[in-house]
Amino acid sequence: MPDRGGGPTGPRIRVGRPSRRVRTLLMTLGVLAVLGMAFTMFAGFWTDWLWYRSVNYSSVFTTTLWTKIGLFFVFGLLMALAVGFNIWLAHRLRPPLSAMSMEQQNLDRYRMGIAPYKKWLLLGITALVGLIAGASASGQWRTWLMWVNGVPFGQKDPQFNLDVSFYAFDLPWYRFLLGFGFAATILSVIAAALTHYLYGGLRVTSPGARATSAATGHLSVLIGLFVSLKAVAYWLDRYGLAVKSSDFKATDSWTGLRYVDANAYLPAKTILFCIAIICALLFFATLWRRTWQLPVIGFGLLVLSAILIGGLYPAIVQKFQVQPNEQAKEAPYVAKNLEATRDAYDIADAQVTDYDGKSDTEDLAALRDEVDQTASIRIMDPNIVSPTFQQLQQMRKYYAFPTNLDVDRYSANGQDQDTVIGLRELNLAGVDKQNWINTHFRYTHGYGVVAAEGTTADSEGRPVFTESDLPSKGKLGEYEQRIYYGEKTTEYSIVGGPQKEIDYSDDSGEKTYTYQGDSGVDLSNPINRAAYAVSFSEPQILYSGAIGEGSRILYERTPKDRVEAVAPWLTIDGDAYPAVVNGRIQWIVDAYTTTNGYPYASRTTLGDTTADSLTATNNSRAVVAQQNQVNYIRNSVKATVDAYTGEVKLYQWDTQDPVLKTWMKAFPGTVEPRTEISKDLMDHLRYPQDLFKVQRELLTRYHVKDADTFLSGSEVWQVPDDPTNKSGNAVPPYYLSMRMPDQQQQAFSLTTTFTPNGRDNLSAFMAVDAEAGTDDYGKIRILKLPTSTTVDGPKQVQSQFNSEQDIAESIRLLRGGDSEVEYGNLLTVPLNGGLLYVEPVYVRGGGLKYPLLRKVLVSYGGNTAFEDTLDEALNKIFGAEGTAPQPPPDDGGTEPPPPTSDNPTVQQALDDAQKAFDEGQEALKNGDWEAYGRAQKELEEALQRAEDAQTQPSGSGGGNSASPSPSPSGSPGARPSGSPSASPSGSPDPG
């Protein structure tokens, strides 16, 4: 090329041009990067598909996926077309000549700069807004599926006479469409305005008209569409009043129309709808009258009307009509809220009965036998004894029990018995040598159930195990004991391949095992291995020799995670619990269907209402989706997860729930009918805790049916704080087999107490029949205490325990040395018009770092007992000393015999007993429970020798000195002598 620059000539130097080899390398790296990104995206998709296929819920994956894809493309394309069309139309309507001004000359440079790239720019803008809109729309897959599959509730709201399904399923979808329309219109207005400005259709500083007639008409139509959508919004807002939340002094969260809504906001929305329609027509009229005058006037009228009619007028009505006589004005609407809320939370049939709270029986001894008939009082607290299970039944460091054990029912001698149960789950933190092989191949599963009677303790205050040891054996029969899926199993495992797993260890050594189930995903396929290597960021999965033919990867192994994954439309209860069902360990998971679109029903936040003193210390018990606000909930599904195979089954529990029916239409075949629940499984189903906690929170206000009483607030209750600890959180509900006053026999129940708002005395006791398969399952019974007299509540009873001098001194002795005292569940039992409180007391003493039952606190009718066993405490309260085994005299441990005897054998035994007694007292003062237990055992042996010796014939040297035998034991809740304790008088108490 000739040099046209006129400067000096010389050699040309190429700057910055890479060599061919470098260009090839860069292109290769670029291609590899793109392929890597593509494979990473593919790996996530592929592993999800493989997992859903492995649990036989592939239809959930495909239905959800195709719904998301469909919404993405439909709404992404609509948004792209709307914005792209208006940009194209604005460009098409550009004036042929632009005004001669500095503004237009500056814009010319931009027009010339983008001229070669106009098509690409248009495609880029439309693609960007389409992607954003599509991604947003795909997140509405639940809303779409509920709208398209909605099932009628068969109930109509009291204001508009529309089926509840309109608010629960239809209105949310209409609001989404409206929001999408607003977004598309606003973006179109912005895009069109910028295009008109760029090409001279709109002018800011140029002389002449500020807008061409074409630009005026185009933008007017778009603004007219916006105002039309606003008219639709006003119309939908009318129905939205039925599900609107607002503050109201009678309740923290009010939902539905109040007087001002029905008499001010509702007519205001109708008027604003009409004004918005007129305003939109004025904007559309600019197509013929190219002037902004009428549309601007109309828009101004709309804004002014919104302020005056939509804001000022309701405020005036509230101030001058409602406030002077609020109770009379709001009462009809409160009545609607009361009825709707009670229906929505399934508390409409709660049975409220007056209860004296004080027994009128003078013969308390007659009540002693009635206690056993009224309740099977559980002294093993599942939230306290987990460390005891851990210490006595862990067996190996790589096993662990959950922080909070569970309460279930198992048959013993033909009768159901409350049982504390836990699984010996895998605890990888206890593996001595941490490496990839040990963590994911060798230590793969837990082993066995450990269960104990809920109503008894042994002579040392330990649980009486009905299933124990390794492998576990006991009263549960034969069952598959290996636990591959559990609450503590969060790491993936690779099983079934060449690498052997550690099964368990016994006296003969370590046992190995190879997984025989078909759970998990097959890793024999190299594509699968590569996908999991990428998804889990673990390259060893791709090339490890420990993976071969038959290898399967197990993940998503906690019961709650598995159920939530296969049914993402369910809300999961915070407490999955295990049960031995038909020879297998099954995790039972309660699941809920919810909506926040039930008209007039007040909303609640699940995370707040399900929080208590247990969830504060155990995050694994938190309800899934805890920040969800709902105003309708049903325990519609009972789910099971097999601890060995991980198989998930969903059973329809609430056959009338329209929300569940809607989801069953959306995901056909995923939920099995209720009739498929086996008898063995039915025996272990129970009323769920989280639903009970939601209901009890609502019942603090909605137990009343009278609007005037509700508005006065005189009957507001509260759930008391847990008095057994200092967490400051609500007392948890307790499972307990008991009989309410109107029941003929005991039923497995879930119970709680209420106190008046801001006070500590008892206002009500609530129990729900928790035994599935019975006619009364789910029946809520509330015993309402009189307001004219006071009955001690849980905090006051606990305070009474702590403040009595004798008990306080005994507690002080129990805390001797480095011992710690832990209070168990404070159980409340209605008994003959009064209320019986029972609280087990545990001690972690000496070298023992796990709690043992040492005392039982009992209170009834203002009388308090603090004894070694439940029987002793009940006998003392009711003055029925002859009805149960009695302790020896109150002088510490088992009483030693008189120090003299004519029989040398007896005398030697008595001397040994005295020595053991003295050693026991010294150990008690030092808080050394192990030494105390040994001394008590020696004392009992010495007493037995003395008794045997004195029963021999006189010729054998027998004397006439009598020595007391050790106190009997074996009654429910009893603990024989040999355990440290203290009597109310402050002196050591026999045990």
Side-chain angles (χ1 to χ4, degrees):
M1 294 291 290
D3 182 11
R4 298 185 182 182
T9 61
R12 294 184 178 181
I13 301 175
R14 296 186 177 183
V15 180
R17 183 184 178 92
S19 66
R20 183 176 181 180
R21 181 178 298 175
V22 172
R23 292 199 306 271
T24 303
L25 178 61
L26 291 175
M27 290 179 62
T28 303
L29 292 176
V31 170
L32 290 176
V34 171
L35 291 176
M37 292 170 50
F39 188 77
T40 300
M41 296 173 63
F42 166 78
F45 163 81
W46 185 242
T47 53
D48 284 348
W49 161 249
L50 291 174
W51 186 87
Y52 276 96
R53 191 174 65 175
S54 73
V55 293
N56 298 318
Y57 282 89
S58 55
S59 62
V60 174
F61 179 81
T62 54
T63 299
T64 304
L65 178 65
W66 287 116
T67 302
K68 290 180 177 179
I69 290 175
L71 292 173
F72 177 86
F73 280 105
V74 169
F75 286 95
L77 186 61
L78 286 175
M79 182 66 76
L81 288 175
V83 175
F85 172 75
N86 282 285
I87 292 176
W88 172 84
L89 183 60
H91 179 266
R92 181 73 177 270
L93 297 176
R94 67 189 184 279
L97 297 174
S98 58
M100 298 299 296
S101 65
M102 290 297 297
E103 179 185 24
Q104 293 304 314
Q105 289 178 19
N106 292 331
L107 291 173
D108 280 341
R109 292 198 295 270
Y110 292 104
R111 288 193 284 265
M112 293 174 63
I114 66 174
Y117 312 105
K118 285 191 295 186
K119 292 183 179 179
W120 291 108
L121 188 60
L122 177 62
L123 289 174
I125 293 173
T126 55
L128 179 62
V129 297
L131 286 172
I132 295 173
S136 176
S138 65
Q140 297 294 323
W141 63 272
R142 290 181 176 86
T143 308
W144 161 260
L145 288 176
M146 293 183 78
W147 177 68
V148 77
N149 295 287
V151 172
F153 274 66
Q155 295 173 289
K156 296 185 177 182
D157 79 284
Q159 182 66 42
F160 302 101
N161 203 34
L162 294 174
D163 192 89
V164 172
S165 61
F166 170 81
Y167 302 93
F169 306 142
D170 299 344
L171 190 59
W173 178 249
Y174 297 153
R175 288 193 181 279
F176 164 71
L177 292 178
L178 187 64
F180 178 83
F182 275 124
T185 305
I186 291 172
L187 289 176
S188 296
V189 169
I190 294 172
L194 289 175
T195 305
H196 281 299
Y197 176 73
L198 183 62
Y199 287 96
L202 293 178
R203 308 181 184 109
V204 178
T205 61
S206 301
R210 293 286 182 252
T212 63
S213 59
T216 300
H218 184 196
L219 294 177
S220 295
V221 170
L222 290 176
I223 298 174
L225 287 174
F226 178 86
V227 178
S228 299
L229 291 173
K230 187 62 180 173
V232 176
Y234 281 132
W235 189 256
L236 289 181
D237 285 346
R238 299 169 68 255
Y239 303 110
L241 292 172
V243 290
K244 182 197 71 171
S245 290
S246 60
D247 295 329
F248 188 38
K249 72 176 186 179
T251 176
D252 296 333
S253 176
W254 171 273
T255 301
L257 284 83
R258 292 159 53 191
Y259 180 89
V260 69
D261 297 313
N263 295 277
Y265 281 110
L266 188 57
K269 297 293 183 181
T270 305
I271 295 171
L272 290 173
F273 165 77
C274 296
I275 295 175
I277 291 293
I278 295 172
C279 185
L281 293 175
L282 293 177
F283 275 104
F284 293 143
T286 56
L287 287 173
W288 295 274
R289 293 190 59 185
R290 302 304 177 100
T291 175
W292 290 92
Q293 185 177 5
L294 286 178
V296 169
I297 293 174
F299 190 76
L301 177 62
L302 179 62
V303 172
L304 183 62
S305 300
I307 296 172
L308 296 178
I309 302 175
L312 185 59
Y313 173 62
I316 293 173
V317 171
Q318 178 69 24
K319 179 70 174 176
F320 295 102
Q321 291 192 37
V322 177
Q323 289 184 6
N325 192 15
E326 185 173 33
Q327 190 149 330
K329 296 290 187 182
E330 299 289 11
Y333 304 95
V334 169
K336 297 175 183 178
N337 177 267
L338 283 169
E339 183 180 358
T341 302
R342 292 168 63 87
D343 286 340
Y345 291 95
D346 202 18
I347 56 177
D349 295 329
Q351 175 184 302
V352 181
T353 307
D354 290 333
Y355 191 73
D356 291 339
K358 294 182 180 179
S359 175
D360 56 2
T361 301
E362 296 182 0
D363 184 11
L364 290 179
L367 295 180
R368 175 61 185 88
D369 293 334
E370 190 175 336
V371 174
D372 296 331
Q373 299 172 10
T374 301
S376 299
I377 299 175
R378 180 171 41 76
I379 57 176
M380 282 290 111
D381 186 348
N383 307 309
I384 296 289
V385 298
S386 178
T388 309
F389 273 51
Q390 185 83 3
Q391 183 69 26
L392 301 178
Q393 289 295 321
Q394 179 188 22
M395 303 304 182
R396 295 292 182 269
K397 289 193 300 181
Y398 49 82
Y399 294 133
F401 293 92
T403 305
N404 303 102
L405 303 177
D406 290 289
V407 178
D408 202 349
R409 294 131 18 248
Y410 286 89
S411 179
N413 300 322
Q415 292 185 339
D416 285 345
Q417 182 179 74
D418 289 0
T419 302
V420 178
I421 186 171
L423 300 189
R424 193 183 287 111
E425 295 191 49
L426 179 65
N427 175 32
L428 289 173
V431 177
D432 290 330
K433 189 174 181 181
Q434 297 280 344
N435 56 53
W436 190 63
I437 294 294
N438 278 346
T439 301
H440 300 290
F441 290 83
R442 287 178 57 78
Y443 295 93
T444 60
H445 59 276
Y447 208 101
V449 173
V450 177
E453 297 178 4
T455 56
T456 59
D458 72 4
S459 61
E460 299 297 328
R462 298 172 301 194
V464 176
F465 292 109
T466 56
E467 188 80 8
S468 58
D469 300 334
L470 184 67
S472 293
K473 54 184 177 291
K475 298 181 179 180
L476 300 185
E478 296 293 327
Y479 60 95
E480 173 56 66
Q481 298 198 21
R482 297 174 182 88
I483 303 161
Y484 282 87
Y485 295 86
E487 290 181 304
K488 303 179 75 68
T489 314
T490 56
E491 286 285 347
Y492 70 87
S493 289
I494 298 177
V495 298
Q499 178 64 58
K500 293 290 185 178
E501 311 164 40
I502 293 178
D503 200 22
Y504 65 90
S505 300
D506 59 14
D507 295 338
S508 62
E510 191 174 85
K511 310 293 184 181
T512 59
Y513 181 73
T514 298
Y515 184 65
Q516 302 299 315
D518 58 358
S519 180
V521 177
D522 184 14
L523 291 181
S524 301
N525 188 325
I527 296 179
N528 292 356
R529 293 178 66 171
Y532 279 102
V534 171
S535 293
F536 289 1
S537 301
E538 183 51 73
Q540 293 187 77
I541 294 177
L542 185 59
Y543 56 78
S544 173
I547 302 175
E549 189 66 30
S551 291
R552 310 183 72 83
I553 184 168
L554 314 180
Y555 61 105
E556 293 287 356
R557 298 170 71 183
T558 65
K560 289 192 289 186
D561 287 347
R562 291 181 78 79
V563 175
E564 187 183 24
V566 302
W569 33 272
L570 291 174
T571 299
I572 311 302
D573 189 271
D575 185 27
Y577 60 98
V580 177
V581 179
N582 297 320
R584 307 192 71 85
I585 300 173
Q586 298 282 353
W587 288 98
I588 300 175
V589 184
D590 286 287
Y592 310 106
T593 47
T594 63
T595 179
N596 66 349
Y598 198 100
Y600 275 101
S602 291
R603 288 184 172 86
T604 186
T605 303
L606 293 180
D608 295 337
T609 52
T610 57
D612 57 30
S613 61
L614 297 183
T615 60
T617 57
N618 185 2
N619 291 332
S620 66
R621 293 177 69 96
V623 65
V624 176
Q626 59 180 341
Q627 296 308 313
N628 279 9
Q629 272 210 330
V630 304
N631 66 353
Y632 171 93
I633 185 170
R634 289 292 186 274
N635 176 214
S636 54
V637 170
K638 301 284 188 180
T640 61
V641 177
D642 192 292
Y644 184 80
T645 64
E647 181 185 22
V648 181
K649 287 189 176 181
L650 307 176
Y651 296 99
Q652 182 183 15
W653 183 247
D654 189 332
T655 57
Q656 304 301 317
D657 178 31
V659 181
L660 177 61
K661 291 179 180 179
T662 296
W663 286 119
M664 290 175 67
K665 281 183 62 180
F667 296 97
T670 57
V671 181
E672 299 185 27
R674 180 168 175 160
T675 53
E676 293 298 313
I677 299 177
S678 67
K679 172 64 169 60
D680 201 7
L681 175 58
M682 184 71 76
D683 290 341
H684 296 282
L685 299 182
R686 68 189 191 188
Y687 201 82
Q689 292 187 60
D690 284 339
L691 176 60
F692 183 79
K693 286 188 278 189
V694 170
Q695 290 174 325
R696 74 172 179 177
E697 181 64 31
L698 269 296
L699 282 167
T700 58
R701 303 184 304 273
Y702 288 92
H703 62 277
V704 301
K705 299 180 181 179
D706 178 64
D708 291 333
T709 305
F710 185 86
L711 282 166
S712 69
S714 60
E715 292 289 334
V716 175
W717 299 338
Q718 66 181 12
V719 179
D721 292 340
D722 192 342
T724 65
N725 57 58
K726 298 179 180 180
S727 67
N729 296 94
V731 62
Y734 296 124
Y735 286 106
L736 181 69
S737 289
M738 59 167 292
R739 183 184 69 186
M740 290 290 277
D742 66 328
Q743 292 178 296
Q744 298 301 315
Q745 59 185 8
Q746 293 183 21
F748 191 62
S749 305
L750 193 54
T751 66
T752 191
T753 53
F754 296 107
T755 59
N757 194 26
R759 296 165 60 195
D760 295 325
N761 57 288
L762 196 69
S763 58
F765 174 83
M766 171 180 167
V768 63
D769 195 320
E771 196 163 347
T774 61
D775 293 338
D776 280 348
Y777 172 82
K779 183 174 182 178
I780 297 174
R781 296 177 173 90
I782 299 175
L783 302 181
K784 184 175 178 293
L785 280 299
T787 57
S788 57
T789 59
T790 59
V791 178
D792 288 344
K795 186 175 181 180
Q796 291 172 322
V797 171
Q798 186 70 48
S799 178
Q800 183 182 358
F801 287 156
N802 297 337
S803 61
E804 287 198 14
Q805 184 176 356
D806 292 343
I807 296 179
E809 178 64 19
S810 300
I811 294 292
R812 186 189 67 79
L813 290 174
L814 289 175
R815 287 197 174 111
D818 61 349
S819 299
E820 299 177 6
V821 172
E822 296 184 39
Y823 295 101
N825 37 217
L826 179 57
L827 301 176
T828 307
V829 177
L831 177 67
N832 195 254
L835 290 160
L836 176 70
Y837 288 95
V838 178
E839 181 178 72
V841 178
Y842 299 83
V843 176
R844 297 181 189 233
L848 301 178
K849 298 304 181 185
Y850 57 93
L852 298 175
L853 179 67
R854 294 307 186 193
K855 288 285 186 177
V856 179
L857 285 161
V858 174
S859 175
Y860 184 79
N863 299 320
T864 303
F866 184 61
E867 302 297 328
D868 288 356
T869 68
L870 176 61
D871 278 330
E872 293 173 8
L874 292 173
N875 291 340
K876 182 174 181 180
I877 284 291
F878 296 106
E881 294 296 333
T883 63
Q886 300 303 309
D890 184 19
D891 62 356
T894 303
E895 181 187 23
T900 60
S901 174
D902 295 333
N903 188 325
T905 304
V906 173
Q907 184 61 52
Q908 181 61 47
L910 295 178
D911 291 342
D912 292 343
Q914 184 64 50
K915 179 181 177 182
F917 176 77
D918 294 338
E919 291 175 351
Q921 297 308 295
E922 185 65 27
L924 180 62
K925 293 178 182 178
N926 297 331
D928 189 343
W929 304 120
E930 291 188 53
Y932 184 88
R934 290 195 301 270
Q936 289 292 89
K937 186 175 182 181
E938 293 172 0
L939 175 60
E940 290 184 18
E941 292 174 351
L943 291 174
Q944 187 63 48
R945 292 202 313 272
E947 184 177 17
D948 293 342
Q950 70 179 358
T951 57
Q952 294 177 359
S954 59
S956 301
N960 57 5
S961 63
S963 63
S965 62
S967 60
S969 63
S971 59
R975 186 167 45 80
S977 61
S979 55
S981 56
S983 70
S985 63
S987 62
D989 188 32

